[in-house]
Every structure is written in C-alpha cells, then in structure tokens.
Amino acid sequence: MPDTAPSNGRLFVANRGEIALRAIRAAQALGMEAVLGVSAADRDGLGARTANRCVVLGPAQARDSYLNAGLIVHAAVSTGCTALHPGYGFLSERAELAELCAQEGITFVGPTPESIRQVGDKISARAMARAANVPMTSGTDAVEDVAHALKLAEEIGYPVITKASAGGGGRGMVVARNAEELAGAFDQAVTTAREAFGDGTLFIERYVEVARHIEVQVIGDGKGGVVHFGERDCSIQRRYQKMIEEAPAAILSPAVRKRLHEAAVRLLASINYRNAGTVEFLYDTTTEEFFFMEVNARIQVEHPVSEAITGADLVQAQLRLATGAVKGFSQKDVHTAGHAIEARIIAEDPDRDFIPCPGRITRWDPPSGEGIRVDTAVESGTMIPPYYDSMIAKLIVHGNTRAEAIDRLAAALDDFTVEGIATNIPLLKVIVAHEDFRSNTINTRWLETVLLPAFRAEQGR
C-alpha cells in the first residue's frame, strides 16, 4: 500500500470511546484535522481533548446524540468537514447516515448506502452469498408465523436457530431442538427483534452444534477489487457477544484457510464493496466445513489483531481509500507474521451476573512492553457513564507463536490495574489460564457451558 496521505481535509468523527480516539489519531497522522461530535456525557473525555475541535451533539442519551443522523451530519457540515468516520456501533451500519453525507457532499468513510442495505438485511445477504457460490447452512427466507416456522424447521431438520433479518448481537436468536421449543419461543423472538431493530422479520437456519466463529477482514476499492487481511477466531463469546479474539485462526488447515479467504473476497467483489468490512463464518469443527453467517459493513472492534499480524493500519487505510489518497490495495502487499490476541476490557462484574459497573475510575494502570498494545480512551479519573456499551478498553498482544501470545496476554492481564469500578479482568485471567483455551479446544458455547459454571462455583455462587 503506497504511503500516501490525504491532502488537507477535515474529518468528522461520529462515535465515542476508543474507536473515536483511534479515528482522530489516524486522521491527524495523515495530516487531516479531526472534529469530534460528543454527547454531554463525553465532553470532557480524552477524545474531546485530543481532537482539533469538539462539538456537543446533545444530551447523554444516545438517541439524542450518537443516534441522531441528521444532527450529526449538520454538525459535520457546520464545522467544514469533508469526510465522516462512523466507527462501529451506533449509526455505522445505517444507510441513512451514508446517504445524508452524500447529499451534503461529505465523504462517508465506509461502504455505499446500497451495499450497507444489501448486506445489512441478512436474508438479502444470504441470497448474495448463494449467488457468489459461498457455502451456507440450510436455511430459509422470511418466516411468516409459528406454523410456517414449524413447517420449515421440519424440512431443515432440528436443531435450528432463529435469526433476525435486520440485525444481530443475539437479539431474536433462539436455538430449538424440537418443535415444542420452537413453538414456545418463536413469538418472543419476533418481539425481541422488533424492539431491537424496528423489524421483527426472522429466518431459520440449521444450528451447528460444535462450531467456531471465524471471520475474514477485507477492504474493497468499490470497483470489484477486494483484499483480505487474514482471518480471526472469535469463538470466546457470552450471549453472542465476543470477549476474546485471535488472529490467525490456528484451528484451520492451510487448505481450509485458503478457501475461506477466497470465499470472503469473492462475496464482496461480487457487489463492488467499498472500504473496510468483515465476512463472518461458522466453522464446523467436526466436518471442517465453513458456512456464511453475515457481513459487517464497518470496521470492527477486533480489527487490531489483524493489524498486529499484518502490520497494517486499517483505520488509516480506510481514510486513504475514502479520500482518494490511494486507489486500491494489492494482495501481494499483505503479509502475516506471528499470532495476536485481543481481550475486551469491560466495565461489568462477572461475580454479579455481568451487571454493568459505571462510575469513576480512580486508578488506571494498563500494561506496556514488547508486543503489548492497549486501545482505550480511559485514564485515571475518567467517569464511565451508564448510557453506552460497557467496553472500556482492548488489550492486544502479539507473539511469534500462539503459545507466546497467550503467555504475554496472561502477564499483561496480571499487570493491568483498574480501581474504582469492577471489570471482567479477573474472568479473563481464568479464561487464559484454562487448559481448554491453551490447547485450543473451545467452541462458541464453551464460555457459557464450561468456563462460567466453574468460575461461579469457585466464587461460591
């Protein structure tokens, strides 16, 4: 990738926390000014102090600030910004924001509105994957009602899983191993999806019992050129929310890894995908087959592990591509080395069923040293508000081998001191020390079915 930078330009950052700070610093490193839009709760944070300019969008509640597309674009226009980075979460995968930017002549640092819609609707994405000859599990289109669901599930064969067409994160997901379970849970799944996404449409897939969650990081040039930056294993999850991610996915054979990369590239090349995205797959550890799940049309939380093994700066790459400083990327320029692991530091208390723990951090002493990186917008004295996602930092380590990376992660967690609020660091230490994790014999259900019951027993709960 040519080492070029945008000439002048001003970036509006429409997010908060560590990804906002990451985008600000990436823009400034490329010679751009950065304007941060914040809620009233974040006006004194590290991101606000690091940006060239900060504007308050509105009250602390996300619906009145970070989720108000019209307000955000108005702020970008009024501050003379030429581009907008949406980060992840909030409005990052809403076509409405990209369209408003286009109407105002602001470059959206992400996919086109058409691509966002195409991959954001999971039923549409399945059709896209089918057309691109990407492997999928047996599944359906939209399910009309309980009776229709039962008929389709019988054809697919139990166990099955319901999924919301309009979104993810576990909302609308129900695993059913027989007709009674599906009938009993279907209506609630519809309600959950409707409340979360404003759309209760569900579809059904065959449920893979023993699976790993593998995803491929890509960047497209919008003209059919797509480059991958390797894959990540995101199988350590609780309630479908990732907690630890690794790159590469050590469980894959070279032949399967090659086919996985090819499938991800082929899929997004087929729609002339633009900017950063991730293609997610389920990997059946029994049959060594992989199946398409979804596309995330944005930069993801776990992108630093891909950066660690490739040496790329994916946020700078987003900005270079969006602003025209680079026209595309070449696969021959992407090389991987070593193994990287990311652990999400979350302001939740594992001893109390992961209850969120907002409050003021009285001591923040993160680890440092060779192969250690901490992405955060937190420092001693930071107030963690109760209004947003509870992730407060990402600890990323890199080693020559997976074993070395695990040892480095264990040592870094031991050196990570946070006082004033509870975090998941004690649980992360238990995970990293567990023989199943070290031997790489986990799956997407391992944390909830194996580790957490034992962890709670040790805590006397």
Side-chain angles (χ1 to χ4, degrees):
M1 186 189 321
D3 187 18
T4 57
S7 56
N8 302 317
R10 183 177 296 159
L11 178 72
F12 191 89
V13 179
N15 216 291
R16 66 179 303 277
E18 64 86 18
I19 189 59
L21 186 61
R22 180 91 165 77
I24 291 166
R25 288 174 170 164
Q28 292 171 340
L30 295 176
M32 300 179 74
E33 292 184 352
V35 179
L36 177 63
V38 300
S39 75
D42 293 327
R43 66 192 310 163
D44 298 320
L46 184 56
R49 301 198 308 274
T50 304
N52 298 88
R53 182 176 175 184
C54 176
V55 293
V56 177
L57 297 170
Q61 286 76 12
R63 66 177 180 272
D64 299 320
S65 51
Y66 299 112
L67 291 175
N68 189 323
L71 185 64
I72 286 169
V73 174
H74 174 75
V77 171
S78 64
T79 53
C81 289
T82 54
L84 183 147
H85 197 298
Y88 51 71
F90 293 128
L91 296 175
S92 61
E93 292 181 277
R94 301 283 184 89
E96 175 193 7
L97 180 61
E99 286 175 335
L100 288 174
C101 285
Q103 290 171 16
E104 297 294 343
I106 294 174
T107 298
F108 182 73
V109 185
T112 65
E114 294 76 18
S115 289
I116 293 173
R117 286 197 174 92
Q118 191 168 7
V119 304
D121 181 288
K122 289 183 171 55
I123 294 175
S124 168
R126 281 180 60 86
M128 179 183 75
R130 189 180 301 112
N133 196 31
V134 173
M136 294 188 299
T137 58
S138 302
T140 72
D141 290 330
V143 177
E144 298 170 2
D145 52 30
V146 172
H148 190 210
L150 292 171
K151 178 178 181 297
L152 294 173
E154 193 66 32
E155 294 173 359
I156 294 172
Y158 290 97
V160 297
I161 183 169
T162 67
K163 293 185 177 180
S165 178
R171 297 172 181 87
M173 284 187 179
V174 171
V175 176
R177 289 180 166 77
N178 52 55
E180 291 74 22
E181 289 184 2
L182 181 58
F186 185 83
D187 287 343
Q188 182 56 51
V190 170
T191 299
T192 300
R194 184 180 296 116
E195 290 175 348
F197 311 116
D199 183 347
T201 303
L202 300 182
F203 65 101
I204 297 175
E205 288 182 344
R206 178 175 67 85
Y207 180 64
V208 180
E209 290 279 8
V210 183
R212 300 287 279 260
H213 184 144
I214 312 292
E215 59 189 29
V216 181
Q217 173 71 60
V218 301
I219 289 184
D221 63 9
K223 300 177 182 179
V226 177
V227 170
H228 73 79
F229 292 79
E231 81 288 345
R232 302 184 287 253
D233 188 334
C234 307
S235 300
I236 302 291
Q237 303 177 6
R238 173 181 172 270
R239 296 182 179 175
Y240 303 104
Q241 298 296 309
K242 302 163 188 173
M243 192 174 293
I244 293 178
E245 303 98 354
E246 304 185 40
I251 195 172
L252 300 181
S253 69
V256 171
R257 177 176 288 111
K258 183 174 184 292
R259 292 200 304 272
L260 187 81
H261 294 166
E262 290 172 345
V265 168
R266 185 168 66 249
L267 177 63
L268 293 191
S270 72
I271 62 168
N272 294 328
Y273 188 86
R274 185 187 76 190
N275 217 270
T278 303
V279 186
E280 304 202 356
F281 299 90
L282 272 182
Y283 175 70
D284 189 326
T285 57
T286 303
T287 64
E288 297 187 354
E289 298 174 288
F290 60 85
F291 307 100
F292 170 74
M293 284 200 300
E294 64 182 6
V295 176
N296 291 124
R298 52 173 167 78
I299 198 75
Q300 284 198 246
V301 174
E302 58 270 23
H303 75 270
V305 291
S306 297
E307 293 182 326
I309 65 167
T310 62
D313 187 314
L314 293 174
V315 179
Q316 286 193 22
Q318 283 190 287
L319 295 173
R320 286 178 173 145
L321 185 62
T323 58
V326 63
K327 300 301 181 184
F329 309 102
S330 173
Q331 193 64 60
K332 65 180 177 60
D333 294 328
V334 181
H335 306 281
T336 62
H339 195 93
I341 308 176
E342 174 182 290
R344 302 189 187 193
I345 310 301
I346 305 171
E348 296 176 348
D349 190 348
D351 290 339
R352 296 190 293 160
D353 198 27
F354 293 88
I355 185 172
C357 297
R360 189 172 301 281
I361 293 179
T362 57
R363 182 181 177 190
W364 179 260
D365 190 8
S368 61
E370 182 182 359
I372 296 173
R373 164 180 166 183
V374 178
D375 283 12
T376 187
V378 165
E379 56 191 347
S380 293
T382 295
M383 174 63 74
I384 305 301
Y387 311 105
Y388 316 113
D389 183 87
S390 52
M391 189 188 76
I392 57 175
K394 302 182 303 195
L395 169 61
I396 306 102
V397 299
H398 181 263
N400 292 320
T401 64
R402 183 173 187 267
E404 183 177 86
I406 291 174
D407 288 341
R408 186 160 283 165
L409 178 59
L413 287 168
D414 284 340
D415 289 342
F416 209 136
T417 301
V418 182
E419 295 178 359
I421 63 170
T423 73
N424 67 328
I425 290 176
L427 175 62
L428 291 171
K429 292 179 180 180
V430 173
I431 294 172
V432 173
H434 200 285
E435 176 56 31
D436 289 352
F437 179 73
R438 288 184 170 266
S439 63
N440 205 18
T441 54
I442 52 92
N443 57 59
T444 56
R445 299 286 296 156
W446 175 81
L447 181 61
E448 292 180 302
T449 61
V450 177
L451 193 283
L452 282 178
F455 177 79
R456 286 167 179 148
E458 288 180 5
Q459 302 301 313
R461 299 182 66 250

